Amino acid sequence: MSCRLLKGTFSSIIIPFPQTRSIHVCTPKGSVLDYFRKKTPTDVVAKEESGDTDEQIFSLEETITPPLSEEEINQKRNKSRLRAYHQRLVNGQVPHPEPVFWTHHTVEYKRRIFGKYGEASEVDPRILWPTRKQLKKKIEYENICNPFTIQEMITKTRKMKAAEEEAFEQREREVDEKMKLVDKYKADLFAKQQAKDKEQKDAKDRKEKLMEEVRRHFGFTVDSRDERFQEMLAKKEKEQRKAMKEAKKLEKQQKMLDKLEAESSKSQPKQKPTPIVDED
């Protein structure tokens, strides 16, 4: 089966599809085998003899393909795959020469860009100066937050530093004086510890002595956990505490009397001895 469409002869081929009906496709006559078969060396020689070489095809394609622009060439050269504003940042250039976001129109952004890149930012420095209203608010803010002048602040800072140095020196002197008394503090602590140990030992001895008295009171061996033994021991301890309290009281009274006698002897003037006169 053949068909004619415009110019050229077409042949009909049947393309089978799995689980579907076959379809008829009209292709140029004699081009189906050329499309599917592989090229052989004889075909290449035939093409060269006919003058239809690859060089002519490539030259034709070169004439048809437009040349690359400078931007496209630079994009192909960009092996780092960085964005344009990232490349400008790395090279120390303004990241956005043209405003992209709404923040790029603010005065704060322009001040920051001008302060970093200077005249290269192409920002008019006149718009960066505050207005009279802003200056007035700034002056009021400074007067409230910093009411002192520079000289007053310097004087205040010097006085503060002098006071801190004086306090530091005073602290060092106190530490030196206390370090001299370390041996005395150690001796006092050792004496207190010995007195505490002696008091504990005396209390233990008194407890054992009381328990022995209670055993002698009953006249026979009594378990220390017995109620009678505990009652008698508590009674003896109470009597002992009372006696110790009376002894401390008497000792305190004796100390007071000795102190009064010493004060009275110091306050009384020494009397001169009266001379002995013979009556004869």
Side-chain angles (χ1 to χ4, degrees):
M1 178 180 180
S2 63
C3 60
R4 183 178 299 274
L5 179 63
L6 296 179
K7 293 181 180 181
T9 305
F10 293 82
S11 62
S12 175
I13 61 173
I14 301 174
I15 302 177
F17 285 87
Q19 297 179 1
T20 59
R21 294 181 179 178
S22 301
I23 60 174
H24 296 271
V25 179
C26 292
T27 59
K29 188 176 181 180
S31 63
V32 177
L33 297 177
D34 295 336
Y35 181 79
F36 287 100
R37 73 181 181 181
K38 297 182 179 179
K39 293 181 180 180
T40 59
T42 57
D43 297 334
V44 176
V45 173
K47 280 188 177 182
E48 290 180 355
E49 291 178 353
S50 62
D52 188 8
T53 59
D54 295 338
E55 295 180 357
Q56 294 177 356
I57 297 173
F58 294 153
S59 63
L60 181 60
E61 291 180 353
E62 290 179 359
T63 56
I64 295 174
T65 304
L68 297 176
S69 62
E70 189 70 22
E71 184 178 356
E72 292 176 347
I73 293 173
N74 292 332
Q75 187 175 2
K76 289 182 179 294
R77 289 175 178 173
N78 182 18
K79 300 301 182 182
S80 62
R81 303 299 180 187
L82 293 175
R83 296 179 182 270
Y85 63 89
H86 285 156
Q87 291 182 3
R88 285 192 286 268
L89 278 175
V90 171
N91 296 326
Q93 300 175 359
V94 181
H96 298 286
E98 297 295 333
V100 179
F101 305 103
W102 67 268
T103 54
H104 296 170
H105 297 281
T106 59
V107 180
E108 290 77 8
Y109 176 80
K110 292 180 180 180
R111 286 174 180 170
R112 183 163 59 86
I113 293 298
F114 183 81
K116 187 173 182 179
Y117 300 101
E119 296 180 356
S121 62
E122 298 181 358
V123 177
D124 188 2
R126 292 177 296 178
I127 65 175
L128 306 179
W129 189 258
T131 60
R132 292 183 178 180
K133 187 176 181 181
Q134 292 175 347
L135 281 174
K136 186 177 179 181
K137 288 184 178 181
K138 186 70 174 177
I139 291 170
E140 291 177 358
Y141 177 82
E142 291 293 334
N143 291 334
I144 295 173
C145 294
N146 301 314
F148 303 103
T149 61
I150 295 177
Q151 295 298 330
E152 291 175 349
M153 293 174 67
I154 292 173
T155 305
K156 186 178 179 180
T157 304
R158 288 177 179 174
K159 289 182 179 179
M160 189 183 298
K161 287 185 177 180
E164 290 178 357
E165 291 177 358
E166 180 64 25
F168 182 75
E169 292 176 358
Q170 179 66 24
R171 178 64 177 169
E172 283 188 339
R173 288 194 293 269
E174 291 178 358
V175 171
D176 292 339
E177 290 177 358
K178 290 181 179 180
M179 286 298 295
K180 295 177 182 178
L181 302 175
V182 170
D183 295 335
K184 181 178 179 299
Y185 292 156
K186 287 182 179 180
D188 294 343
L189 180 63
F190 185 70
K192 287 181 181 180
Q193 188 64 33
Q194 282 186 337
K196 187 176 180 180
D197 294 342
K198 185 177 181 299
E199 184 178 356
Q200 291 177 355
K201 185 179 180 181
D202 294 342
K204 186 177 179 181
D205 294 341
R206 288 194 300 269
K207 184 71 175 288
E208 292 178 355
K209 187 176 179 181
L210 286 175
M211 292 177 70
E212 187 65 26
E213 289 179 0
V214 171
R215 291 191 184 96
R216 287 199 300 268
H217 173 75
F218 286 105
F220 56 89
T221 304
V222 182
D223 190 1
S224 59
R225 294 172 292 182
D226 193 353
E227 293 182 0
R228 295 177 297 172
F229 186 88
Q230 294 293 334
E231 290 177 359
M232 183 60 65
L233 183 62
K235 183 178 179 180
K236 291 288 185 181
E237 287 179 349
K238 186 175 180 181
E239 293 175 357
Q240 189 180 32
R241 286 196 296 270
K242 187 176 181 180
M244 290 174 64
K245 188 175 181 181
E246 291 293 334
K248 287 183 179 180
K249 187 176 180 180
L250 292 174
E251 184 179 359
K252 187 176 181 180
Q253 290 177 357
Q254 186 64 34
K255 286 182 179 179
M256 290 292 294
L257 290 174
D258 295 341
K259 186 177 180 181
L260 290 173
E261 288 179 0
E263 290 178 355
S264 62
S265 62
K266 289 181 180 179
S267 61
Q268 290 180 0
K270 293 182 179 181
Q271 296 180 359
K272 295 182 180 181
T274 55
I276 298 174
V277 179
D278 293 338
E279 295 179 357
D280 298 338

